[in-house]
Amino acid sequence: FAGLADVSISEDIPVEGEITVPVGSRSPDEDFSTLDEPVRDTILRDLKAVGKKFVHVMYPKKSSALLRDWDLWGPLVLCVSLALMLQGGSADSKDDGGPQFAEVFVVIWFGAVVITLNSKLLGGTISFFQSLCVLGYCILPLTVAMLVCRLVLLAGSGTISFIIRLLVVVAMFAWSTLASTAFLADSQPPNRKALVVYPIFLFYFVISWMILTFTPQ
Amino acid sequence: ITCLVTYSFAEFDDAANLLAANPDATTISIDEPAEIPKNQRDRLQEPGREEDDELLGTDDSDKTELLAGQKKSAPFWTFEYYQTFFDVDTYQVLDRIKGSVFPVPGKNFVRLYIRSNPDLYGPFWICATLVFTIAVSGNLSNFFIHLGKPTYRYVPEFRKVSIAATTIYAYAWLVPLALWGFLMWRNSKVMNIVSYSFLEIVCVYGYSLFIYIPTAILWIIPQKVVRWVLMIFSLCLSGSVLVMTFWPAVRDDNRRIALATVGTVVLLHALLSVGCLAYFFDAPEVDFPAPLIPPHNGTTVVTRSR
């Protein structure tokens, strides 16, 4: 505002007119005018975006949809459902049991934040929330694995059920790691890729371990 | 000037000359207590130090010494400041890990591998891996030990992860802090030729913990003798890295204090490994105390598990 310091309007010039923005320069958002649409449309639009990202995770191709329009709804839904499904593990005392809801939540979100910070400190060009978004969405295969494990445990908990669960969890763990690496690897400096991928591997390994060692009441 | 500069680079201890030549440089990594006059340079050529000196004769190390002095100049509230602690490539991290697992007698880990570029990536992620490795291996080993017993139910023991994390991160960060404080205090009393910055000590401790990762995995084997052999082996390897790093820093001091310092370092290291083995891994031939109380009047038999 320094340039306007010496602008003054002399008192005998009448100031009049309309202070409106010309119609032609409306931004695209205003065309949407989401205030007037039915609530169902608003919710469905977000749900479709989340669903589209789920599909991108299950069939990881190099697409920028996951990165460009990041959102954290999907990761939240996945994290909450995974934490809920990990409940009900039994123990004689509270100290020996599986992770509680808060512990799963903290492990997932704190782990994702630490990995994002790690990749940014190593010189990655991805933004903070984009990375959180990718890491959260790539938990989807593991959530599917948890669902399958719970169903298999309903049928029985012998050796065969353990082998099935082991195979499913290992496959989903590999899928998660590969999917997130496919999305995140490009934004890292080339001679540090392994340094960035390893913590992601560790993160999904810990989650897979929590899923595999779940024993119901 | 070039000869002087080269000679002073070869003499790693004379970073004070570096500072004199470039007074504007902010050096965080190497602390030099005092400048050593040139006529005392002969004293430095003791046999113990020659091995240290011959590491640094290459030109690359000259450049890194020069650049290191001007590297960390971002203010501490910016992101770039913390990025300087992660300025390592994959091969550098792997080299440092290799140096901690195969310590060469007489070669100082800090000088050979860290060389004024301490990183926080290695210590942080090695500690994280160690935490989960110990928790998972302990859980697996307990599972295999108690597998056939009828009164045993598998429990994931997730609470032990937080205990492991607290222990290992406290060891890897608070012990270096204490050691650094102690060394700084001794430096103010006795002129030591070698002294380390806090980050370099954290680096040495972090990388020296790497050997415990495969050790923890092998501790799944439920044989007491095997476990103790493994522990002593890994203690010797990582302890020797620590001893060879810190002995040059205290050997000019009072003999007893020097020995006490190095002894404490090794003792704490041993305590960590013994404690982890004892707490996370059940003893292999534990008998399930299942005393059969003789039934009175034919009533129920009480068995106690664990």
Side-chain angles (χ1 to χ4, degrees):
Chain A
F1 295 94
L4 298 174
D6 47 359
V7 170
S8 60
I9 302 177
S10 77
E11 276 153 5
D12 43 348
I13 300 179
V15 177
E16 53 182 288
E18 289 186 4
I19 311 177
T20 54
V21 177
V23 174
S25 67
R26 241 181 351 159
S27 65
D29 281 344
E30 287 187 48
D31 287 339
F32 252 164
S33 183
T34 58
L35 218 50
D36 294 335
E37 64 178 8
V39 171
R40 201 182 68 139
D41 283 355
T42 315
I43 294 180
L44 275 181
R45 183 174 50 242
D46 280 336
L47 278 179
K48 278 200 204 123
V50 168
K52 208 159 67 130
K53 291 204 191 69
F54 279 160
V55 169
H56 273 123
V57 168
M58 291 313 272
Y59 300 106
K61 302 186 298 268
K62 285 226 175 4
S63 87
S64 58
L66 209 66
L67 291 179
R68 206 179 38 229
D69 308 319
W70 61 266
D71 74 90
L72 293 178
W73 282 115
L76 182 67
V77 163
L78 288 172
C79 176
V80 167
S81 53
L82 187 60
L84 281 177
M85 283 196 278
L86 278 169
Q87 289 299 291
S90 76
D92 297 331
S93 77
K94 207 161 59 89
D95 281 346
D96 280 347
Q100 303 298 311
F101 183 92
E103 286 168 343
V104 176
F105 221 79
V106 162
V107 162
I108 291 180
W109 286 103
F110 186 66
V113 165
V114 164
I115 293 176
T116 306
L117 279 179
N118 176 67
S119 81
K120 284 190 76 72
L121 282 168
L122 282 169
T125 54
I126 200 170
S127 96
F128 182 77
F129 285 108
Q130 280 173 347
S131 172
L132 276 188
C133 168
V134 168
L135 287 168
Y137 270 103
C138 289
I139 296 181
L140 176 66
L142 287 169
T143 312
V144 168
M146 183 73 219
L147 202 59
V148 169
C149 281
R150 281 212 91 147
L151 292 174
V152 167
L153 279 169
L154 282 179
S157 55
T159 314
I160 309 236
S161 117
F162 175 73
I163 293 180
I164 298 178
R165 283 186 289 140
L166 178 68
L167 290 175
V168 168
V169 169
V170 166
M172 292 297 152
F173 161 64
W175 199 334
S176 280
T177 312
L178 289 173
S180 62
T181 311
F183 287 118
L184 289 179
D186 283 341
S187 63
Q188 308 305 324
N191 48 348
R192 296 179 182 183
K193 276 210 169 64
L195 296 185
V196 173
V197 168
Y198 171 71
I200 300 178
F201 168 88
L202 185 64
F203 176 62
Y204 288 125
F205 177 80
V206 170
I207 300 181
S208 315
W209 176 256
M210 288 197 292
I211 292 175
L212 188 58
T213 61
F214 172 77
T215 47
Q217 191 78 34
Chain B
I1 301 256
T2 323
C3 324
L4 180 69
V5 165
T6 317
Y7 184 49
S8 69
F9 284 145
E11 293 288 326
F12 179 86
D13 308 318
D14 283 343
N17 285 339
L18 222 186
L19 281 174
N22 196 352
D24 295 327
T26 46
T27 52
I28 298 178
S29 44
I30 310 297
D31 297 327
E32 282 302 323
E35 185 166 335
I36 301 149
K38 303 234 183 318
N39 55 12
Q40 284 185 13
R41 216 178 282 277
D42 296 334
R43 184 170 86 80
L44 300 175
Q45 295 297 342
E46 295 167 29
R49 293 182 200 264
E50 274 168 351
E51 299 151 333
D52 296 340
D53 295 336
E54 69 187 351
L55 304 174
L56 304 162
T58 66
D59 286 326
D60 286 333
S61 72
D62 296 350
K63 292 200 194 82
T64 47
E65 296 299 333
L66 235 189
L67 291 171
Q70 290 146 333
K71 194 169 57 155
K72 301 175 168 118
S73 53
F76 70 90
W77 56 83
T78 57
F79 194 67
E80 284 73 28
Y81 176 76
Y82 297 102
Q83 269 184 322
T84 57
F85 301 136
F86 283 78
D87 192 17
V88 278
D89 292 334
T90 309
Y91 76 92
Q92 281 177 309
V93 172
L94 290 176
D95 272 346
R96 291 175 185 194
I97 291 177
K98 209 159 40 108
S100 77
V101 174
F102 303 116
V104 180
K107 297 231 166 127
N108 187 329
F109 179 79
V110 173
R111 290 186 180 183
L112 185 53
Y113 291 103
I114 309 289
R115 278 201 203 160
S116 322
N117 187 18
D119 69 303
L120 288 180
Y121 178 90
F124 183 79
W125 287 109
I126 291 177
C127 289
T129 312
L130 186 60
V131 163
F132 289 113
T133 310
I134 285 190
V136 168
S137 305
N139 200 239
L140 270 178
S141 120
N142 292 350
F143 172 69
F144 286 131
I145 287 176
H146 300 311
L147 186 50
K149 309 204 165 97
T151 48
Y152 174 68
R153 277 213 69 201
Y154 170 74
V155 284
E157 292 176 324
F158 192 76
R159 200 53 60 96
K160 289 195 172 173
V161 171
S162 16
I163 297 174
T166 315
T167 315
I168 290 179
Y169 274 99
Y171 176 79
W173 294 80
L174 292 183
V175 170
L177 185 66
L179 189 60
W180 174 73
F182 177 77
L183 287 177
M184 287 293 113
W185 175 58
R186 293 312 299 175
N187 266 347
S188 68
K189 301 203 156 193
V190 172
M191 179 175 66
N192 274 328
I193 311 299
V194 174
S195 65
Y196 301 116
S197 74
F198 171 62
L199 282 172
E200 287 173 343
I201 302 183
V202 165
C203 238
V204 172
Y205 264 88
Y207 281 103
S208 73
L209 286 177
F210 178 83
I211 187 71
Y212 286 118
I213 297 176
T215 308
I217 298 178
L218 287 175
W219 271 344
I220 297 180
I221 301 173
Q223 297 296 328
K224 214 167 193 168
V225 171
V226 169
R227 286 180 176 178
W228 277 91
V229 163
L230 281 170
M231 176 167 76
I232 293 179
F233 180 66
S234 56
L235 182 62
C236 285
L237 276 183
S238 58
S240 69
V241 170
L242 291 177
V243 165
M244 284 192 291
T245 303
F246 291 113
W247 181 246
V250 291
R251 67 181 152 196
D252 296 320
D253 206 343
N254 182 349
R255 196 82 189 166
R256 283 200 301 197
I257 294 191
L259 286 175
T261 310
V262 174
T264 313
V265 164
V266 174
L267 184 68
L268 284 174
H269 212 63
L271 268 180
L272 177 79
S273 51
V274 169
C276 283
L277 180 59
Y279 183 73
F280 293 101
F281 295 83
D282 283 348
E285 53 264 16
V286 68
D287 290 329
F288 259 168
L292 284 176
I293 300 176
H296 309 293
N297 309 329
T299 46
T300 54
V301 170
V302 173
T303 56
R304 192 181 54 185
S305 67
R306 284 217 191 200

